[in-house]
Each structure stands twice: as structure tokens, then as C-alpha cells.
Amino acid sequence: MILVDKKLIFERLLPMVEKASREIDDLDYFCHEVVKILDNNLPYYNWTGFYFMKDGLLQLGPYIGRPTEHVKIKVGQGICGRAVAENATIVVDDVTKEENYLACSIETKSEIVVPIRVGDEIIGEIDIDSDEKGAFDDDDRRFLEDVADIVSKKIAGE
């Protein structure tokens, strides 16, 4: 993994996400800006995107990265579906060791999925893939949970 002072980068990026939340009214455009902020500033975030719940399925939202065939995912299916089923952030250091993994790209080695909640309801999630094993740590988890909170407040109109 590229050695960077992630905490400093995260401290710089959160205000950028908050600013976008205040200044951009269109939710789809805002989510695209969020993935752009993450993708442009975190070199080990190789696929960065959103899935949103619709009709009981996770449906692909704005993303940056290699194309994926997984545009709809059932709750419980793959890491994304598991995050919803377990109502928890999921960090996978080595996707080859996951029986329930939905491979988007053979280059992907690790993944983090962070639910986005409005109240007690999961309405979507942030999904990040890395081409490096063990790319995500507690700092990434906390940072992405903070990003998910900003997105949640934006969706809820707060």
C-alpha cells in the first residue's frame, strides 16, 4: 500500500464532502462529486461508488472505476448485500477468502462497505474496492462512516 498520512488526508477531505453537501442540490450529482473527491485523493481506492436500496434490492448509483455487471444486488448477497443484512460496516482484507464474494474485477483484492442510514433504515451504502490486500483499516472505516453520515443528512434534508 502507498504510505500516506491518511488521517491528514481524511481531515482534509471531510470538509470537502460537507461543502459539496451544502452547495449541490441534486442528489445524484452530489453523490458523483463524493466519489470523485474520494477517487481523486485516495490512490488505493480503485473502485468507489454507491448502491441505493430500491424495491428491496441494492441498485448501483454513481461510481468511478472499472465497469461492473453487479447493478442490482440482493440483500445478503456478496459483501454489499451482507452489509445490509448485518446492518454493519464490513471490511474484507482478502476477497479471495470470502465465499459470498461477488467479483467485479479480478484486480480487486480488498473491499469495505459502509451502510448509509436515515433513522434506523439502511437506504444505501458506500462501496470501495482496492487492488491491494488489506488496504482498509479503522481510519478508513471511521472516515467512510463520517462520509456516510454526511450523505445520510443530505438525503434526509438536514
Side-chain angles (χ1 to χ4, degrees):
M1 180 153 98
I2 297 169
L3 294 176
V4 293
D5 190 342
K6 292 194 297 187
K7 286 184 181 181
L8 288 176
I9 293 172
F10 295 156
E11 287 174 11
R12 186 173 53 83
L13 296 183
L14 268 181
M16 292 171 69
V17 174
E18 289 170 340
K19 183 175 188 256
S21 175
R22 288 189 308 273
E23 294 179 354
I24 300 171
D25 291 328
D26 181 84
L27 184 60
D28 193 57
Y29 180 64
F30 164 67
C31 289
H32 184 73
E33 284 302 302
V34 171
V35 296
K36 220 161 72 172
I37 289 167
L38 300 179
D39 181 72
N40 288 343
N41 291 283
L42 297 159
Y44 61 102
Y45 283 27
N46 301 113
W47 191 99
T48 306
F50 287 96
Y51 282 90
F52 289 102
M53 293 299 298
K54 185 174 179 191
D55 301 324
L57 298 171
L58 285 163
Q59 297 197 23
L60 184 62
Y63 76 95
I64 295 175
R66 293 179 281 268
T68 179
E69 63 189 51
H70 304 292
V71 295
K72 293 183 182 181
I73 300 173
K74 295 177 185 174
V75 172
Q77 183 181 30
I79 308 307
C80 289
R82 189 174 127 206
V84 173
E86 295 179 12
N87 191 18
T89 296
I90 307 276
V91 178
V92 177
D93 289 332
D94 183 351
V95 297
T96 65
K97 297 189 184 326
E98 288 289 315
E99 290 180 23
N100 192 23
Y101 178 65
L102 295 175
C104 291
S105 166
I106 59 169
E107 288 92 356
T108 299
K109 303 290 188 268
S110 59
E111 181 172 13
I112 184 169
V113 180
V114 178
I116 301 167
R117 298 174 187 85
V118 172
D120 292 333
E121 180 183 0
I122 294 178
I123 54 92
E125 60 193 22
I126 300 169
D127 180 21
I128 313 284
D129 294 349
S130 179
D131 294 349
E132 303 170 25
K133 284 186 182 177
F136 308 108
D137 60 17
D138 282 340
D139 291 331
D140 291 279
R141 181 188 52 75
R142 281 189 292 275
F143 167 68
L144 290 169
E145 287 173 350
D146 287 345
V147 171
D149 189 49
I150 295 167
V151 174
S152 168
K153 288 176 181 169
K154 176 75 171 175
I155 291 169
E158 294 178 20

